Amino acid sequence: MLAGYSQGAMATHQAGWELKGTDAGKSVIGTFLIADGDRFGGTGANRFGDANQGAKGVRTAFYGLVPDVPKPRDVADPANTADICDRNDIVCDWSTKSVVAGVPIHLSHYQKPRTSPVIKAVAGMKDKINAQLKKAPVAPLRIDWLTATAKSGIVIITAKAASPEGFTEYTPATRTATALSSPMSSAGHRTGPRGPRAGTTG
Protein backbone atom coordinates (compact mmCIF):
# COMPACT_ATOMS: atom_id res chain seq x y z
CA MET A 1 0.00 0.00 0.00
CA LEU A 2 1.33 3.43 -0.93
CA ALA A 3 0.53 6.82 0.56
CA GLY A 4 1.78 10.30 -0.14
CA TYR A 5 1.02 13.81 1.10
CA SER A 6 1.64 16.96 -0.96
CA GLN A 7 4.96 16.53 -2.81
CA GLY A 8 4.92 12.89 -1.73
CA ALA A 9 1.51 12.52 -3.39
CA MET A 10 2.93 13.79 -6.67
CA ALA A 11 5.81 11.32 -6.42
CA THR A 12 3.36 8.52 -5.64
CA HIS A 13 1.11 9.56 -8.55
CA GLN A 14 4.04 9.33 -10.98
CA ALA A 15 5.41 6.16 -9.36
CA GLY A 16 2.10 4.43 -10.03
CA TRP A 17 2.77 4.70 -13.76
CA GLU A 18 6.42 3.70 -13.39
CA LEU A 19 5.41 0.57 -11.45
CA LYS A 20 2.42 -0.36 -13.63
CA GLY A 21 2.83 -3.83 -15.07
CA THR A 22 5.88 -4.66 -12.94
CA ASP A 23 6.01 -7.22 -10.14
CA ALA A 24 6.35 -4.38 -7.63
CA GLY A 25 3.34 -2.63 -9.11
CA LYS A 26 1.24 -5.77 -8.89
CA SER A 27 1.94 -5.95 -5.16
CA VAL A 28 0.32 -2.54 -4.52
CA ILE A 29 -3.19 -3.10 -3.19
CA GLY A 30 -4.17 0.52 -2.52
CA THR A 31 -2.89 4.06 -2.94
CA PHE A 32 -3.74 7.19 -0.94
CA LEU A 33 -2.96 10.56 -2.54
CA ILE A 34 -3.37 13.45 -0.10
CA ALA A 35 -3.38 16.93 -1.68
CA ASP A 36 -1.97 15.69 -4.99
CA GLY A 37 -0.37 18.48 -7.01
CA ASP A 38 -0.65 16.25 -10.09
CA ARG A 39 -4.39 15.77 -9.58
CA PHE A 40 -6.11 15.20 -12.93
CA GLY A 41 -9.30 17.19 -13.53
CA GLY A 42 -12.14 14.67 -13.63
CA THR A 43 -10.06 11.95 -11.99
CA GLY A 44 -11.51 8.46 -11.96
CA ALA A 45 -10.02 7.73 -8.54
CA ASN A 46 -12.18 7.38 -5.43
CA ARG A 47 -12.65 10.97 -4.29
CA PHE A 48 -12.62 12.12 -0.67
CA GLY A 49 -12.75 15.68 0.63
CA ASP A 50 -15.02 18.44 -0.68
CA ALA A 51 -13.08 19.53 -3.79
CA ASN A 52 -15.02 19.40 -7.05
CA GLN A 53 -14.35 16.49 -9.38
CA GLY A 54 -12.83 18.85 -11.93
CA ALA A 55 -10.29 20.33 -9.50
CA LYS A 56 -6.76 20.35 -10.90
CA GLY A 57 -3.47 20.09 -9.06
CA VAL A 58 -1.01 22.97 -9.25
CA ARG A 59 1.37 21.16 -11.60
CA THR A 60 -1.50 20.03 -13.81
CA ALA A 61 -2.69 23.63 -14.08
CA PHE A 62 0.78 24.85 -15.08
CA TYR A 63 1.53 22.16 -17.66
CA GLY A 64 2.99 23.81 -20.75
CA LEU A 65 3.80 27.00 -18.88
CA VAL A 66 6.56 25.75 -16.60
CA PRO A 67 9.49 23.64 -17.87
CA ASP A 68 9.77 20.02 -16.68
CA VAL A 69 6.15 19.78 -15.54
CA PRO A 70 5.01 16.30 -16.63
CA LYS A 71 2.09 15.88 -18.99
CA PRO A 72 -1.12 15.53 -16.94
CA ARG A 73 -2.58 12.06 -16.74
CA ASP A 74 -4.86 10.36 -14.30
CA VAL A 75 -3.62 7.83 -11.76
CA ALA A 76 -2.54 4.43 -13.06
CA ASP A 77 -5.08 2.46 -11.01
CA PRO A 78 -8.15 4.66 -10.36
CA ALA A 79 -10.28 1.89 -8.86
CA ASN A 80 -7.83 1.29 -6.01
CA THR A 81 -6.66 4.87 -5.49
CA ALA A 82 -8.05 7.35 -2.96
CA ASP A 83 -7.75 10.97 -4.11
CA ILE A 84 -8.05 13.19 -1.03
CA CYS A 85 -8.49 16.91 -1.62
CA ASP A 86 -10.37 19.74 0.07
CA ARG A 87 -11.82 22.67 -1.86
CA ASN A 88 -9.45 25.58 -2.54
CA ASP A 89 -6.39 23.66 -1.35
CA ILE A 90 -3.56 25.54 -3.06
CA VAL A 91 -1.83 22.30 -4.10
CA CYS A 92 -4.60 19.97 -5.30
CA ASP A 93 -7.36 22.48 -6.21
CA TRP A 94 -5.38 25.27 -7.87
CA SER A 95 -7.21 28.48 -8.77
CA THR A 96 -6.81 32.22 -8.28
CA LYS A 97 -8.99 31.88 -5.20
CA SER A 98 -6.76 29.21 -3.71
CA VAL A 99 -3.78 31.57 -3.88
CA VAL A 100 -5.44 33.61 -1.13
CA ALA A 101 -7.21 30.97 0.92
CA GLY A 102 -5.46 27.76 -0.02
CA VAL A 103 -2.38 27.65 2.20
CA PRO A 104 -4.23 27.34 5.56
CA ILE A 105 -6.52 24.73 4.00
CA HIS A 106 -3.56 22.71 2.78
CA LEU A 107 -1.78 22.89 6.12
CA SER A 108 -4.68 22.12 8.45
CA HIS A 109 -7.65 20.35 6.84
CA TYR A 110 -6.07 16.89 6.64
CA GLN A 111 -4.93 16.87 10.25
CA LYS A 112 -8.22 17.24 12.08
CA PRO A 113 -8.58 14.15 14.27
CA ARG A 114 -12.31 13.54 13.68
CA THR A 115 -13.27 15.19 10.42
CA SER A 116 -10.15 14.68 8.29
CA PRO A 117 -10.95 13.37 4.81
CA VAL A 118 -7.92 11.10 5.29
CA ILE A 119 -9.78 9.21 8.01
CA LYS A 120 -12.84 8.89 5.77
CA ALA A 121 -10.73 7.72 2.85
CA VAL A 122 -9.09 4.97 4.88
CA ALA A 123 -12.48 3.73 6.09
CA GLY A 124 -13.94 3.96 2.60
CA MET A 125 -11.13 2.02 0.94
CA LYS A 126 -11.07 -0.98 3.27
CA ASP A 127 -13.44 -3.11 1.19
CA LYS A 128 -11.56 -2.36 -2.04
CA ILE A 129 -8.29 -3.30 -0.43
CA ASN A 130 -9.76 -6.56 0.84
CA ALA A 131 -11.01 -7.32 -2.69
CA GLN A 132 -7.44 -6.93 -3.95
CA LEU A 133 -6.10 -9.20 -1.21
CA LYS A 134 -8.46 -11.98 -2.33
CA LYS A 135 -6.73 -11.95 -5.73
CA ALA A 136 -3.24 -12.17 -4.26
CA PRO A 137 -1.37 -15.51 -4.62
CA VAL A 138 -0.76 -15.75 -0.87
CA ALA A 139 -2.43 -17.32 2.14
CA PRO A 140 -5.91 -15.91 2.87
CA LEU A 141 -5.60 -12.50 4.46
CA ARG A 142 -8.17 -9.92 5.47
CA ILE A 143 -7.85 -6.35 6.65
CA ASP A 144 -9.92 -6.23 9.83
CA TRP A 145 -9.58 -2.49 10.22
CA LEU A 146 -7.67 0.51 9.02
CA THR A 147 -7.05 3.69 10.93
CA ALA A 148 -5.24 6.87 10.02
CA THR A 149 -3.66 9.65 12.01
CA ALA A 150 -2.76 12.98 10.40
CA LYS A 151 -0.80 15.47 12.46
CA SER A 152 1.88 18.06 11.79
CA GLY A 153 2.26 17.12 8.15
CA ILE A 154 2.60 13.40 8.86
CA VAL A 155 0.10 10.70 7.99
CA ILE A 156 0.28 7.26 9.59
CA ILE A 157 -1.97 4.48 8.32
CA THR A 158 -2.30 1.43 10.56
CA ALA A 159 -3.90 -1.85 9.58
CA LYS A 160 -4.66 -5.12 11.33
CA ALA A 161 -4.59 -8.02 8.90
CA ALA A 162 -6.15 -11.30 9.99
CA SER A 163 -5.10 -14.72 8.68
CA PRO A 164 -5.98 -18.29 9.68
CA GLU A 165 -2.85 -18.39 11.84
CA GLY A 166 -3.63 -15.23 13.80
CA PHE A 167 -3.15 -11.55 13.11
CA THR A 168 -0.44 -9.14 12.21
CA GLU A 169 -0.72 -5.45 12.98
CA TYR A 170 1.23 -3.22 10.62
CA THR A 171 2.26 0.35 11.22
CA PRO A 172 4.30 1.63 8.27
CA ALA A 173 7.30 3.76 9.12
CA THR A 174 6.36 7.41 9.53
CA ARG A 175 7.21 9.61 6.56
CA THR A 176 7.19 13.39 6.39
CA ALA A 177 4.84 15.30 4.15
CA THR A 178 7.48 15.77 1.47
CA ALA A 179 8.51 12.13 1.17
CA LEU A 180 7.09 9.10 -0.62
CA SER A 181 6.08 6.46 1.89
CA SER A 182 7.27 2.95 1.30
CA PRO A 183 4.88 0.06 0.60
CA MET A 184 3.33 -1.43 3.70
CA SER A 185 5.76 -3.91 5.16
CA SER A 186 6.07 -5.92 8.33
CA ALA A 187 8.30 -3.29 9.93
CA GLY A 188 7.08 -2.74 13.45
CA HIS A 189 4.56 -5.55 13.24
CA ARG A 190 3.18 -7.54 16.12
CA THR A 191 1.71 -11.01 15.93
CA GLY A 192 -0.44 -13.01 18.26
CA PRO A 193 -3.57 -15.15 18.60
CA ARG A 194 -6.98 -13.92 17.63
CA GLY A 195 -9.22 -12.45 20.26
CA PRO A 196 -11.36 -9.41 20.97
CA ARG A 197 -8.41 -7.61 22.58
CA ALA A 198 -5.68 -8.98 20.34
CA GLY A 199 -3.63 -6.29 18.67
CA THR A 200 -5.19 -3.39 20.53
CA THR A 201 -3.03 -0.41 21.33
CA GLY A 202 -3.34 2.43 23.76
Side-chain angles (χ1 to χ4, degrees), residues 67-150:
D68 301 325
V69 171
K71 183 178 180 179
R73 56 179 174 176
D74 203 4
V75 294
D77 185 14
N80 298 301
T81 298
D83 179 276
I84 305 163
C85 180
D86 273 343
R87 186 175 300 172
N88 294 323
D89 182 312
I90 194 170
V91 176
C92 61
D93 185 15
W94 172 262
S95 68
T96 54
K97 186 176 181 180
S98 72
V99 173
V100 177
V103 173
I105 292 171
H106 179 73
L107 294 177
S108 65
H109 277 215
Y110 308 103
Q111 301 163 16
K112 298 177 181 178
R114 296 184 179 179
T115 61
S116 170
V118 177
I119 307 297
K120 296 177 182 178
V122 168
M125 291 293 288
K126 185 179 75 170
D127 290 343
K128 288 182 177 291
I129 290 171
N130 278 330
Q132 291 300 305
L133 285 172
K134 290 179 181 179
K135 301 176 183 178
V138 295
L141 191 68
R142 184 184 73 255
I143 300 294
D144 277 356
W145 45 250
L146 288 169
T147 61
T149 304

Side-chain angles (χ1 to χ4, degrees), residues 14-29:
Q14 300 301 327
W17 284 105
E18 294 173 7
L19 295 174
K20 190 173 179 64
T22 67
D23 289 341
K26 293 174 184 177
S27 70
V28 177
I29 57 174

